Amino acid sequence: MSDSFQRQQRFVHQVIGHQLPNHNKLAPLKRQGHGIAPVNIALSKYWGKRDTILNLPMNGSVSISLPGLGTETTLTLTPISENSPHPIDSVQLNGESLSDDNPFCIRLTDFLELFRPENHTFTIHTHNTVPTAAGLASSASGYAALVLALNDLFQWQLPPQKLSLLARLGSGSASRSLYSGFAIWHKGEQPDGLDSYAEPIATQWPELCIGLVKVDVQQKPISSTTGMQNTVNTCDLYQAWPAQAEKNMQTILEAIEQKNFEQLGQTAEHNALSMHATMMATWPPIVYWQPESLAAMQTVWHLRKQGIAVYFTMDAGPNLKLLFLETQKPAIQQAFGETEVIQPFKS
Ligand code: 2P0
């Protein structure tokens, strides 16, 4: 058993231990568990880890979840009998069986190893309603749905904060996908990672719209996990990022509280471009943009010059997410054509 695995297992036991009198035995109470979680878009971003084993971020982040776009997962537990033909986990993604050496499958089953009762295999059926690895944060909804399915399977009845801690261990951004609406993921200070979880923000903002500008929904060239680590290791500009990100986060929290759209949009766009600047100043360089991404940004800037309040944010992919208020919907749809528009507090 590796040191990393042992540290992660200790973390899991610290999180769920209080809930279970006999926490060394992750005894299954049911055969099947089910979970469903939304994707989230960060308005101030998570980029970089201070601890790669426990997935602890360099900075906090704030997000908005998109209802109707996400992941639904069913976990089935099967005891291994002597005559089991294949005592290994099996994973189905969107109805297709994945081979054991698929990287998605390896990451998923490595995570499940932390929760496996002795002599059992997992069957995982997972469905995404967003394209996998399209920069629409499907790992976030994926690990949040998986943790909810584990909570159901083992009947832990954990509060959302603890589910957020477990989801974070699977994928950082998943910590924020336990909630609808706005969420804040606190970076935390403790080396044990028990104070690095997300919480919901109560504010509702029915007029707020997110437009999805889909430039390319193929697999991205470099995963966020690898990309952010390369940035931390090789980008001198990154030194300035954690402080800026924390400052942006406070400004965004204030904008949400006061429903100040200009402040929200400006800070989110500036934050996203600053993150991309650190990616580009990484070696080898990380450039998720495509020519159409830049063209879409220029359309946004042109619209703003005409007095239309629209801003964008971008994640680890070429797609843009537009931020605007309901009153601007006709202008946005005219400029961007078939853009899918989501109203997180109305849908
Ligand atoms: C975010 N991203 O805050 C940022 C913005 C991408 C760019 O969180 O290694 O898939 O699994 O913790 O959560 C994507 O990173 O990375 C991400 P891991 P994750 O949404």
Side-chain angles (χ1 to χ4, degrees):
M1 208 186 286
S2 72
D3 287 353
S4 314
F5 185 78
Q6 281 185 343
R7 259 190 93 208
Q8 290 182 338
Q9 207 165 44
R10 201 174 318 124
F11 175 78
V12 167
H13 285 163
Q14 282 171 319
V15 175
I16 63 176
H18 305 293
Q19 239 61 29
L20 293 172
N22 186 3
H23 66 253
N24 286 328
K25 276 200 195 135
L26 292 164
L29 295 172
K30 289 170 69 177
R31 230 190 112 242
Q32 218 167 50
H34 186 249
I36 182 161
V39 301
N40 73 76
I41 306 291
L43 298 168
S44 69
K45 310 289 186 187
Y46 151 53
W47 196 251
K49 304 176 202 237
R50 66 179 196 276
D51 182 325
T52 55
I53 310 295
L54 295 182
N55 248 357
L56 299 177
M58 291 282 197
N59 59 275
S61 50
V62 174
S63 63
I64 177 88
S65 291
L66 305 187
L69 292 176
T71 306
E72 186 167 3
T73 294
T74 304
L75 268 181
T76 311
L77 202 56
T78 312
I80 300 174
S81 65
E82 272 179 25
N83 45 16
S84 290
H86 299 295
I88 49 169
D89 297 335
S90 69
V91 182
Q92 267 197 20
L93 175 63
N94 298 331
E96 257 183 55
S97 290
L98 301 183
S99 66
D100 312 339
D101 56 359
N102 179 301
F104 173 88
C105 209
I106 293 170
R107 182 169 168 181
L108 200 64
T109 52
D110 279 356
F111 180 69
L112 284 175
E113 202 56 47
L114 292 162
F115 305 93
R116 185 189 306 282
E118 267 184 24
N119 296 319
H120 283 77
T121 60
F122 285 109
T123 306
I124 305 117
H125 285 96
T126 191
H127 281 268
N128 283 335
T129 48
V130 286
T132 302
L136 276 174
S138 53
S139 79
S141 57
Y143 281 88
L146 186 62
V147 163
L148 286 165
L150 285 163
N151 187 50
D152 183 30
L153 175 67
F154 294 114
Q155 295 285 288
W156 293 326
Q157 297 176 340
L158 290 174
Q161 254 181 43
K162 291 197 168 195
L163 294 171
S164 173
L165 284 170
L166 294 180
R168 185 207 79 214
L169 193 62
S171 182
S173 51
S175 64
R176 304 182 305 236
S177 270
L178 269 310
Y179 310 105
S180 56
F182 296 112
I184 173 168
W185 173 16
H186 306 282
K187 83 179 179 80
E189 302 291 337
Q190 295 171 206
D192 65 10
L194 291 169
D195 59 351
S196 181
Y197 53 80
E199 290 184 296
I201 298 169
T203 308
Q204 304 263 316
W205 199 338
E207 301 80 19
L208 186 68
C209 295
I210 314 274
L212 303 178
V213 180
K214 293 179 194 172
V215 167
D216 187 351
V217 294
Q218 299 304 306
Q219 190 87 14
K220 52 197 178 192
I222 178 165
S223 75
S224 301
T225 310
T226 308
M228 67 175 83
Q229 217 40 44
N230 289 353
T231 306
V232 171
N233 291 336
T234 71
C235 171
D236 290 341
L237 294 186
Y238 185 79
Q239 307 280 326
W241 168 259
Q244 182 189 338
E246 286 289 323
K247 191 178 74 181
N248 292 161
M249 192 175 84
Q250 294 308 325
T251 310
I252 294 228
L253 287 175
E254 191 186 276
I256 291 172
E257 200 190 317
Q258 298 172 355
K259 299 221 181 126
N260 182 337
F261 177 71
E262 297 285 334
Q263 184 172 324
L264 179 89
Q266 278 178 25
T267 314
E269 186 174 308
H270 187 199
N271 177 271
L273 287 172
S274 303
M275 176 185 73
H276 281 272
T278 72
M279 293 169 173
M280 289 176 195
T282 293
W283 197 261
I286 304 167
V287 183
Y288 288 113
W289 300 8
Q290 291 183 13
E292 296 86 344
S293 314
L294 186 58
M297 290 178 206
Q298 284 169 330
T299 303
V300 168
W301 294 326
H302 179 69
L303 287 170
R304 279 220 296 276
K305 271 200 180 142
Q306 296 179 325
I308 295 162
V310 53
Y311 297 86
F312 67 85
T313 185
M314 269 182 95
D315 295 294
N319 306 307
L320 269 69
K321 290 95 184 187
L322 306 178
L323 303 169
F324 55 93
L325 293 177
E326 203 172 6
T327 45
Q328 304 293 6
K329 203 164 156 179
I332 302 301
Q333 284 182 322
Q334 199 184 359
F336 284 95
E338 60 208 71
T339 296
E340 187 177 343
V341 176
I342 294 158
Q343 283 185 265
F345 299 95
K346 270 201 173 173
S347 310

